[in-house]
Amino acid sequence: MSLKYVIGIDESGCGALVGPLVVCAVAFAVDQPQVTVPWHGVRGDQVLRAGDSKAFKDADKRAALEAAVRAEARACAVIERTSAEIDARLFSVIFPEAIQLAALRCLESLKVIDPALVAADVVVRIDGDLARPALPCAVECLPGGDKLDWRIGAASLVARTLCDRRLDALHAEYPRWGFDRSRGYPTREHKQLLAERGPTQAHRRSFRPVRELLPQPRGIEA
């Protein structure tokens, strides 16, 4: 049997101090051409190609590609975990679990459209040098994979776009913490604002830069 589908997996929000972790898995037929979008800009017409979301500084371009990826993918699964869930169960548990769950849900969706699907028909490619999740098909973990395989890049676009929407909502709720600029990541400005104003309810209290600013529990006094 020959390979029929490639599933790309990537995340957004992994290193952030606030907001959700978003993991996306997108499946494409192995012979699917790279997803593209025509773009008419002030600098002339161009063709946008699905790939690493970090390569697109313009949010409108990312959003256009994200919509095209969702439209052309054979299957798409998104797993979102909030700051509260991360704090309750710890990131080291949540992250690999979310990757595995996204892959399994994507595989389930493929099985619906292709009931004859078998393990040899699918390969899952994940961005990063990670422990391989237990899946009923081949798995490849690729450092820098969002630049090496456009399907992983396509997953990064979906994950990044949703994560940014969540941070936009958090910025509207907490406008004095600059989430529209830091996107939740520990930039110099973000850490300075944390030190001056303390964490919001949306911050990940289990992450050290936030945890160190929280009141420490008092010991038992004699």
Side-chain angles (χ1 to χ4, degrees), residues 85-160:
E85 290 174 303
I86 291 169
D87 289 341
R89 301 184 57 228
L90 299 183
F91 192 83
S92 60
V93 174
I94 287 283
F95 185 37
E97 181 183 87
I99 288 175
Q100 183 181 42
L101 185 55
L104 288 172
R105 288 188 178 174
C106 200
L107 284 167
E108 289 170 0
S109 296
L110 279 180
K111 187 73 174 177
V112 171
I113 65 172
D114 189 350
L117 191 75
V118 296
D121 293 337
V122 185
V123 62
V124 172
R125 293 177 181 160
I126 305 171
D127 181 52
D129 186 14
L130 309 171
R132 286 171 170 77
L135 298 172
C137 64
V139 179
E140 299 173 1
C141 294
L142 305 175
D146 49 1
K147 300 176 181 64
L148 298 173
D149 190 312
W150 70 265
R151 282 134 321 191
I152 297 177
S156 81
L157 285 163
V158 176
R160 169 73 181 276

Side-chain angles (χ1 to χ4, degrees), residues 26-39:
V26 284
F28 294 93
V30 69
D31 58 354
Q32 161 79 32
Q34 187 172 6
V35 174
T36 60
V37 171
W39 186 261

